[in-house]
Amino acid sequence: MGRRRSFDEDEVVAAAAELFARRAYDGVSVDDLVTRLGVHRNSLYGVFGSKRGLYLAALRRHIEHDVRPHLTRVTQPDHVLTWDLLLVAAIDRAPDDPEVAELVSAVFAEIDEATGDARVTEELLGQWVRRRPESSREN
């Protein structure tokens, strides 16, 4: 019988998602994760296998909890995108990581379906990029 985990895996993944969204993949070290998440390095490797494994878990969690539930509201004028990790992943990791590219492309296709037009999706994402520096300062 293995040892019981001393941390909540979902809380750790959610906190990692916030960290990766703010600083991108290469801006977050394993030491940063250990410090921020309060989890021992061996536990991180034991559960997620690697920093990339945790990153993929964080991206998947972000998509399932923060993106997909809001797709039906994406074109509403008062809806504010809170998809930082998805969009940072699209820019930062997707060009170099086929698994990230596949996740991001699948979600972008879902957004296209929700908006009914890829050009609307592009406009929404462009608006997010333009507003991001301002919203980052506010948070």
Side-chain angles (χ1 to χ4, degrees):
M1 182 171 169
R3 288 179 53 184
R4 188 170 173 214
R5 279 192 199 127
S6 62
F7 62 90
D8 181 310
E9 188 174 324
D10 190 57
E11 287 180 13
V12 165
V13 172
E18 289 179 23
L19 198 55
F20 285 124
R22 280 186 297 165
R23 296 169 39 189
Y25 183 81
D26 289 334
V28 178
S29 70
V30 173
D31 287 339
D32 294 333
L33 292 165
V34 167
T35 301
R36 165 71 185 206
L37 307 177
V39 176
H40 193 276
R41 177 184 303 265
N42 291 342
S43 296
L44 279 181
Y45 284 117
V47 173
F48 303 105
S50 64
K51 173 183 160 184
R52 181 178 176 273
L54 176 56
Y55 180 85
L56 289 170
L59 180 58
R60 287 186 183 107
R61 186 197 185 284
H62 173 66
I63 290 167
E64 291 305 318
H65 288 82
D66 304 323
V67 178
R68 285 190 172 128
H70 304 285
L71 288 178
T72 58
R73 300 181 322 139
V74 72
T75 57
Q76 294 177 356
D78 60 336
H79 181 69
V80 177
L81 297 180
T82 56
W83 301 345
D84 288 7
L85 182 54
L86 173 67
L87 300 172
V88 170
I91 295 166
D92 178 56
R93 295 301 302 159
D96 299 319
D97 188 322
E99 197 168 350
V100 172
E102 186 176 324
L103 287 168
V104 169
S105 293
V107 174
F108 281 178
E110 291 176 43
I111 298 170
D112 288 346
E113 190 173 313
T115 64
D117 187 338
R119 290 173 296 188
V120 174
T121 301
E122 291 166 4
E123 185 177 324
L124 287 169
L125 297 177
Q127 290 171 358
W128 173 85
V129 170
R130 291 187 75 175
R131 292 183 189 141
R132 187 149 190 320
E134 187 176 303
S135 65
S136 294
R137 282 192 300 270
E138 293 171 359
N139 296 325

